Amino acid sequence: MTRHVAQVLDELKADHRNLAVLLGMLDREVARLKSREDPDYELLHDIMQYMTGYPDAVHHKKEDWVYACMAAVRPAMKRDLARIEHDHAEISNLGNKLLSDIQAIESGTVMRRFDVIEDARRYLTRQRDHMNWEDEKLFPLIDSLKSELDLSEVPSRVGTMPDPVFGPSVENAFRSLFEAIRNESRAD
Ligand SMILES: [Fe+2]
Ligand SMILES: [Fe+2]
């Protein structure tokens, strides 16, 4: 049983490391927008296409399941954990809003630069605050409860799609994002 918890926790932490790389790249493109330079809209599009796909369908659903299991063994935590699904829904809405801003720009719609920057700022802040809370408080709690949690069977509501960028094979639509990430890690 412990092995399953450790494995699920490792997967969640790996997702966070990957998400942090993409949030850093998103931040840099938004900084360009702020300083009135042209951002790489294709890259922005690919980042947000990824962010509104795998993390929402798999990462967040997996966390919802794990936190529900935690609340079942620690009912006192129920109130705190109830915030999570709301957080995930909000992150998904903010991400989809930013993606639709970028799609509108790509299709030639005139958008106020300030509105796009503001939508990006909201998304980045919400996503980072949420991930920090999980990294600092919730993931250590999962670890401390590992002898009590039963995560041996992943329920069907948790998506099973493989990660299209960081998974075993890179999906064609994400080839250039994958290359951009590779260049990023070379530059470090
Ligand atoms: Fe989460
Ligand atoms: Fe998370």
Side-chain angles (χ1 to χ4, degrees):
M1 221 137 0
T2 302
R3 191 178 64 83
H4 294 294
V5 176
Q7 190 187 330
V8 170
L9 194 53
D10 278 353
E11 289 165 6
L12 294 177
K13 286 180 179 172
D15 286 342
H16 276 209
R17 284 194 297 274
N18 297 336
L19 294 176
V21 171
L22 293 177
L23 292 178
M25 291 165 75
L26 177 61
D27 228 349
R28 199 181 47 213
E29 294 307 316
V30 175
R32 285 203 178 124
L33 201 56
K34 273 186 202 157
S35 59
R36 304 206 154 261
E37 289 170 42
D38 278 335
D40 183 338
Y41 281 113
E42 211 183 305
L43 179 61
L44 275 174
H45 176 113
D46 290 349
I47 292 171
M48 290 318 296
Q49 190 75 53
Y50 173 80
M51 290 305 238
T52 52
Y54 174 85
D56 287 345
V58 179
H59 179 80
H60 289 160
K61 290 282 176 290
K62 200 184 280 176
E63 287 176 341
D64 290 342
W65 159 58
V66 174
Y67 298 141
C69 294
M70 276 167 70
V73 297
R74 286 288 183 281
M77 286 164 63
K78 237 178 208 157
R79 227 180 59 171
D80 251 12
L81 293 170
R83 212 184 98 190
I84 307 270
E85 287 196 32
H86 172 76
D87 267 23
H88 288 165
E90 202 183 338
I91 289 168
S92 167
N93 290 340
L94 293 171
N96 280 305
K97 174 75 177 76
L98 183 56
L99 176 62
S100 78
D101 289 353
I102 297 160
Q103 284 168 332
I105 294 168
E106 285 179 314
S107 67
T109 306
V110 178
M111 295 254 335
R112 283 174 61 207
R113 191 177 281 255
F114 174 81
D115 291 339
V116 185
I117 293 169
E118 201 42 31
D119 285 344
R121 188 194 60 77
R122 271 196 215 112
Y123 176 74
L124 279 160
T125 307
R126 201 74 200 82
Q127 179 72 276
R128 281 196 170 125
D129 285 352
H130 178 81
M131 279 167 57
N132 285 341
W133 180 42
E134 292 182 320
D135 286 334
E136 286 164 20
K137 294 270 178 342
L138 300 182
F139 289 180
L141 267 171
I142 297 174
D143 191 51
S144 72
L145 291 174
K146 61 176 174 263
S147 58
E148 295 169 67
L149 289 173
D150 180 4
L151 302 181
S152 49
E153 284 200 27
V154 186
S156 58
R157 67 177 183 277
V158 178
T160 52
M161 69 188 266
D163 189 320
V165 175
F166 300 96
S169 65
V170 181
E171 249 178 42
N172 277 342
F174 289 114
R175 284 251 152 243
S176 47
L177 178 60
F178 179 78
E179 290 303 325
I181 295 165
R182 211 155 60 170
N183 291 338
E184 186 88 1
S185 54
R186 277 197 195 118
D188 283 344

